[in-house]
Amino acid sequence: MPVLWQDIAVLFALLLPALIVGAFVLAGFRPYMLVRAMLWRFRWTNLIFMSLIAVSIGIGVALIAQERGLRQGTARAADPFDLIVAAPGSEITMLFAAVYLRPSDVPLLSGEVYDHVASAENVSLAAPIAFGDSYNSHPIVGSTAEFVTHMSPQLAEGRLFDNYWGAVVGARVDLSVGDVFEPAHGVGDAAEHDAHGGAEYRVVGRMQPTGSPWDRAIVVPVESVWEIHVLPTGHAPDNADQLGPPFDPGYFPGTPAILVSAEQLYANYALRAEFTTAETMAFFPGSILASLHSVMGDVRQVMSLMAIVTQILVTIGMMVGLVTLTRLFARRLALLRALGAPARFVFAIVWSYTATLIFLGAAAGIAVGFVAAAVISRIVTARTDILVNATLSWSEFQLVAAFVSVTVLLALIPAAIALSRPVVADLRN
């Protein structure tokens, strides 16, 4: 729904009931005491109708808010990754592997390629990202101390690693500083334990929360990853104790990806062009996410349409139910008409009663939406390791207002049907 029409729906939802109620008051009709009595007399039935409205609205707006929260969470997780350099292939596959730590089998970049990237003008950080091992479902990633400080400028506790067998864990890793653990080869159910000859890491620090899958990652020196896989450590034998860059191209075993950060933001564009060659692929994770988010935007439109269709079906069912519900007090309405109450007064009673159910149900639906959005956010965060904080915004309130506007108008139908019933027949029932 266009924004202009959504704003009109909100205004209409606020003004229409006030106009109708004002018209009742000016006409001398004050049906509120009778409406309150009807709400209390049939309170359990009324509660069912309001619950139906509340659940329909709450789940609909919570799902729409969740899509926006997931979009914001994925973008936040990719913020530290200015530019990724990898072997030519699928940018989306490498995005999920390097940024969101989804296991992938990707080719490696050679030492010559890494040296060219690291020594390029304006490059302030060229951190190798080597993955493939794990500990209790926590991915172990080989990189440098500079990479850790890039992801977490201030550690939550501990210090950076200063030897091959130190490890800095993410905020949600169930290890404490000083703990010792043994890596497994592979990730998940396919992980091979005791595959690295009893190599052990000691936790020396913990990163600040990032709201990304890196909160569950373990960062270790890339040299140790190469060594336990019986590969050169990136340094010549006479520099075997060196940790971190510069790496010797002749002893560099390869890395799946390189995180590149430029001294100036504008320089990233020049670096992307420079590193996009027959041997390398350079891309901005933010650009890939923008493409994915455009698809999610289409999904949002579909979800909004589904929510509207669901609410239309609920509205139709509710109107049918309200028409049936008016039969419960048809005899009372017939008695009012027999005593001389104007038809407009009876009409006002039925409409006010129906509109009250709609407004109370919609208000409860907003509360249900807030709760549902929080619950779904926790589930999505636990399943994806991406921090999702979804909450209702103006667009969700516009959707609720549109629903209220339409149903308040449709509430005139049960009121009209109640007036069309024969008075004598209802008095005899």
Side-chain angles (χ1 to χ4, degrees):
M1 184 184 295
V3 175
L4 176 61
W5 288 108
Q6 290 177 341
D7 293 336
I8 293 175
V10 174
L11 184 62
F12 190 73
L14 294 174
L15 292 181
L16 178 65
L19 291 175
I20 295 179
V21 171
F24 290 158
V25 173
L26 291 175
F29 303 141
R30 294 177 175 82
Y32 313 120
M33 297 297 293
L34 289 174
V35 170
R36 186 173 64 180
M38 291 163 60
L39 290 173
W40 177 253
R41 174 65 178 82
F42 304 103
R43 54 188 176 276
W44 299 115
T45 305
N46 296 333
L47 184 61
I48 292 174
F49 275 93
M50 290 187 291
S51 300
L52 178 63
I53 298 172
V55 172
S56 170
I57 290 177
I59 294 179
V61 297
L63 290 177
I64 295 174
Q66 205 61 223
E67 182 272 339
R68 183 180 58 255
L70 183 59
R71 187 154 29 91
Q72 294 171 345
T74 53
R76 189 188 312 112
D79 278 345
F81 295 85
D82 300 331
L83 181 66
I84 297 292
V85 178
S90 170
E91 295 176 339
I92 294 178
T93 298
M94 185 51 64
L95 171 73
F96 283 116
V99 177
Y100 302 110
L101 298 177
R102 297 301 175 186
S104 300
D105 186 11
V106 296
L108 304 179
L109 296 174
S110 66
E112 290 75 13
V113 170
Y114 175 83
D115 186 63
H116 171 66
V117 172
S119 60
E121 186 179 1
N122 292 321
V123 171
S124 60
L125 172 66
I129 302 176
F131 38 77
D133 290 343
S134 65
Y135 168 74
N136 284 354
S137 76
H138 297 292
I140 297 176
V141 182
S143 192
T144 63
E146 291 78 11
F147 174 82
V148 175
T149 56
H150 180 76
M151 296 294 295
S152 178
Q154 297 292 330
L155 294 181
E157 58 177 320
R159 57 177 175 81
L160 297 172
F161 41 72
D162 56 7
N163 60 66
Y164 279 18
W165 307 109
V168 177
V169 299
R172 297 175 57 201
V173 175
D174 52 354
L175 289 171
S176 301
V177 173
D179 287 348
V180 177
F181 65 93
E182 182 176 343
H185 182 69
V187 181
D189 296 335
E192 301 175 19
H193 299 275
D194 301 322
H196 294 315
E200 292 182 334
Y201 290 103
R202 181 179 297 276
V203 179
V204 298
R206 182 183 301 277
M207 292 188 288
Q208 295 282 356
T210 64
S212 73
W214 287 90
D215 287 343
R216 298 192 68 256
I218 302 173
V219 183
V220 300
V222 67
E223 292 90 345
S224 66
V225 174
W226 291 329
E227 181 168 309
I228 63 178
H229 289 89
V230 197
L231 296 169
T233 61
H235 306 289
D238 55 346
N239 292 324
D241 295 333
Q242 181 180 338
L243 192 68
F247 294 102
D248 189 327
Y251 296 91
F252 191 92
T255 181
I258 305 172
L259 168 63
V260 177
S261 181
E263 296 175 353
Q264 301 293 334
L265 181 60
Y266 67 85
N268 283 320
Y269 293 91
L271 293 175
R272 182 182 63 170
E274 180 180 351
F275 300 148
T276 301
T277 66
E279 295 181 342
T280 58
M281 170 184 68
F283 64 92
F284 297 133
S287 298
I288 306 304
L289 276 178
S291 301
L292 294 176
H293 288 166
S294 65
V295 176
M296 292 179 68
D298 295 337
V299 172
R300 178 182 176 84
Q301 293 179 0
V302 173
M303 293 174 65
S304 298
L305 180 61
M306 291 177 61
I308 292 173
V309 170
T310 301
Q311 290 180 3
I312 289 174
L313 294 176
V314 170
T315 301
I316 294 174
M318 185 185 69
M319 288 301 114
V320 173
L322 287 173
V323 170
T324 304
L325 186 60
T326 55
R327 299 186 64 177
L328 293 176
F329 43 83
R331 188 168 184 273
R332 294 169 176 80
L333 297 178
L335 182 59
L336 284 174
R337 295 171 63 186
L339 292 174
R344 290 172 296 176
F345 181 70
V346 177
F347 185 91
I349 292 174
V350 178
W351 181 87
S352 299
Y353 166 74
T354 307
T356 301
L357 293 182
I358 293 171
F359 274 97
L360 292 178
I366 293 175
V368 171
F370 274 107
V371 175
V375 172
I376 297 174
S377 292
R378 290 188 178 184
I379 296 174
V380 173
T381 298
R383 295 292 180 89
T384 64
D385 296 324
I386 298 173
L387 179 61
V388 177
N389 289 320
T391 186
L392 304 190
S393 68
W394 182 240
S395 59
E396 283 74 52
F397 287 108
Q398 289 172 329
L399 185 63
V400 175
F403 170 80
V404 172
S405 300
V406 173
T407 50
V408 163
L409 281 177
L410 293 177
L412 299 173
I413 297 176
I417 293 177
L419 289 180
S420 65
R421 297 180 59 86
V423 175
V424 176
D426 286 341
L427 286 174
R428 290 176 177 174
N429 289 333

